[in-house]
Amino acid sequence: MADAKKRALITGITGQDGGHLAGFLHEKGYEVFAIIRGQHNPRREAVVSEFPYVTLFDADLTDQSSLIRAMQVARPHEVYNLGAISHVGYSFKDPQLTNDVTGKGVLNMLEAIRLTDPENKVKFYQASTSEMFGGLEYNRPEKGYTEESSFHPRSPYGVAKLYGYWITKNYRESYDMFAVSGILFNHEGERRGVEFVTRKITNAVARIKLGLQDDLELGDLWPKRDWGYAGDYVRGMWLMLQQDKPEDYVLATGETHSIGEFLDLAFKEVGIDDWKPYVKQNPAFMRPAEVDVLLGDPTKAEKELGWTRDVDFPGLVKLMVEHDLAIESTKL
Ligand code: GDP
């Protein structure tokens, strides 16, 4: 039977979640397709060697005709839109590109689906984010943000993602599409880029331990985040598309920790009890507007999707430090 396998199309295959999701869907027996951007994309080779089973298309979220072509060839049952300019700090430096890719890119993908799926069968996942809430300074739900909380984004990234969230909801309501948002709180792991604070810390801790680096420069240490493990979160994405009814879900751990607490655990992992001599503050890593505390309430996802997490906060720090020690020790 030619169509026995389910087919999925991923945008954002070069990012952290794209990698986790490609592996997860492949193990589930999916035929996996992904788009990759630009001529000579330096990450293409790495994607091809790590995911030989993924069929790649040259396409760009800002170029709708390329998305239509990808849809026509892949004919996916499920589309996961993970592609974005995804770094909050960077979005202040390039707000317009962030708007075009992270915001309007969602509309381009939804339209590409609508134009190529006359039977309205394709299921669409939009990677929405806790950055849309903007921190507890703006609203203070007791147990953390839920699917019902109000939004107050604090960066061009958050604003663009909020557009993506609403246009997804709008296409669901207007065209009866199975289009959902996962509102994911920070999720980290061994695939996280070093531009994000968790991986920047675990990579530096490993290098300091091995004598490859003397210290670490960071911005503000007081912000708190609800940090989970990315591998657990891609399972939640998939579960959302397996439901009978399209609905939005928060994925979070229900715990929040400061950057200082992350530093405590990461340095302890390599036997350093006091990290203060190693950490310097540099205003270059501070943001024009900061999100103070993020805390999510995953009750709906736990109850309705049966979503659970395998990795807790100490487990996350440990696995990231161990991974970076292994990688960095090859450079000795
Ligand atoms: P975000 O929550 O999506 O912005 O994820 P990040 O990992 O980029 O940032 C998490 C928090 O760490 C934010 O409050 C940042 O301001 C803070 N932070 C402090 N120092 C740094 C740094 O050197 N790099 C990054 N990326 N964030 C930092």
Side-chain angles (χ1 to χ4, degrees):
M1 258 194 345
D3 271 359
K5 269 192 162 189
K6 263 196 165 181
R7 292 181 299 276
L9 176 66
I10 301 175
T11 76
I13 186 73
T14 57
Q16 166 185 254
D17 291 2
H20 279 286
L21 185 65
F24 175 85
L25 292 175
H26 178 62
E27 273 182 26
K28 286 247 168 246
Y30 278 68
E31 200 173 338
V32 184
F33 300 84
I35 68 166
I36 193 157
R37 186 171 56 101
Q39 206 179 354
H40 301 308
N41 186 321
R43 290 194 271 182
R44 177 188 296 266
E45 219 175 290
V47 171
V48 170
S49 87
E50 190 175 0
F51 307 108
Y53 48 81
V54 173
T55 306
L56 290 177
F57 299 113
D58 285 297
D60 190 320
L61 280 170
T62 61
D63 172 2
Q64 195 182 68
S65 59
S66 71
L67 300 176
I68 291 172
R69 285 194 297 277
M71 285 297 298
Q72 284 169 333
V73 180
R75 295 178 301 115
H77 302 89
E78 297 172 7
V79 174
Y80 294 85
N81 187 39
L82 314 181
I85 303 285
S86 67
H87 189 250
V88 173
Y90 180 77
S91 77
F92 286 100
K93 299 194 175 98
D94 209 337
Q96 279 157 342
L97 183 65
T98 304
N99 185 62
D100 290 348
V101 179
T102 307
K104 186 161 176 258
V106 185
L107 175 62
N108 289 341
M109 193 69 243
L110 283 165
E111 271 296 288
I113 295 171
R114 209 167 69 86
L115 293 169
T116 56
D117 177 32
E119 291 178 26
N120 204 9
K121 285 210 167 128
V122 175
K123 293 185 168 185
F124 175 75
Y125 174 86
Q126 168 57 18
S128 290
T129 165
S130 54
E131 286 289 326
M132 302 186 310
F133 294 124
L136 295 180
E137 191 183 329
Y138 292 97
N139 48 30
R140 294 190 168 271
E142 222 172 273
K143 282 174 58 206
Y145 295 107
T146 69
E147 295 76 8
E148 307 305 322
S149 301
S150 60
F151 299 114
H152 188 131
R154 299 266 290 157
S155 62
Y157 168 74
V159 173
K161 279 286 185 183
L162 193 51
Y163 172 80
Y165 167 86
W166 279 115
I167 199 70
T168 299
K169 213 178 180 77
N170 180 253
Y171 269 53
R172 176 163 86 221
E173 292 170 359
S174 305
Y175 305 116
D176 206 22
M177 282 174 72
F178 193 112
V180 304
S181 270
I183 306 173
L184 271 52
F185 282 66
N186 296 53
H187 43 287
E188 318 292 315
E190 69 280 15
R191 292 180 177 279
R192 197 55 148 154
V194 287
E195 67 275 28
F196 291 88
V197 78
T198 53
R199 186 75 196 285
K200 185 174 174 181
I201 292 171
T202 61
N203 182 258
V205 163
R207 291 176 60 83
I208 289 169
K209 175 70 183 171
L210 296 168
L212 293 167
Q213 184 171 325
D214 296 328
D215 50 33
L216 162 64
E217 290 192 354
L218 293 173
D220 288 316
L221 305 185
W222 49 265
K224 290 180 147 188
R225 291 291 181 270
D226 179 330
W227 276 303
Y229 177 55
D232 288 334
Y233 285 54
V234 298
R235 196 169 61 243
M237 297 175 187
W238 175 79
L239 282 169
M240 287 178 213
L241 296 196
Q242 311 315 307
Q243 305 307 301
D244 293 334
K245 265 178 55 197
E247 286 190 33
D248 301 331
Y249 292 89
V250 161
L251 299 186
T253 69
E255 281 179 34
T256 189
H257 299 278
S258 68
I259 295 156
E261 286 172 80
F262 196 99
L263 284 165
D264 283 342
L265 291 186
F267 274 94
K268 283 215 174 85
E269 202 55 50
V270 297
I272 298 173
D273 285 335
D274 181 12
W275 47 262
K276 293 200 177 65
Y278 299 96
V279 175
K280 298 194 164 59
Q281 280 205 291
N282 182 342
F285 297 111
M286 294 173 187
R287 292 165 183 183
E290 183 58 86
V291 170
D292 57 352
V293 183
L294 286 177
L295 173 65
D297 176 356
T299 305
K300 181 181 175 192
E302 287 171 348
K303 279 200 179 135
E304 294 183 13
L305 304 177
W307 182 64
T308 53
R309 295 166 297 286
D310 291 337
V311 181
D312 62 7
F313 181 63
L316 173 68
V317 180
K318 188 176 163 60
L319 83 79
M320 290 178 74
V321 172
E322 280 175 358
H323 176 82
D324 281 326
L325 277 172
I327 301 244
E328 292 300 323
S329 57
T330 64
K331 298 179 185 165
L332 285 172

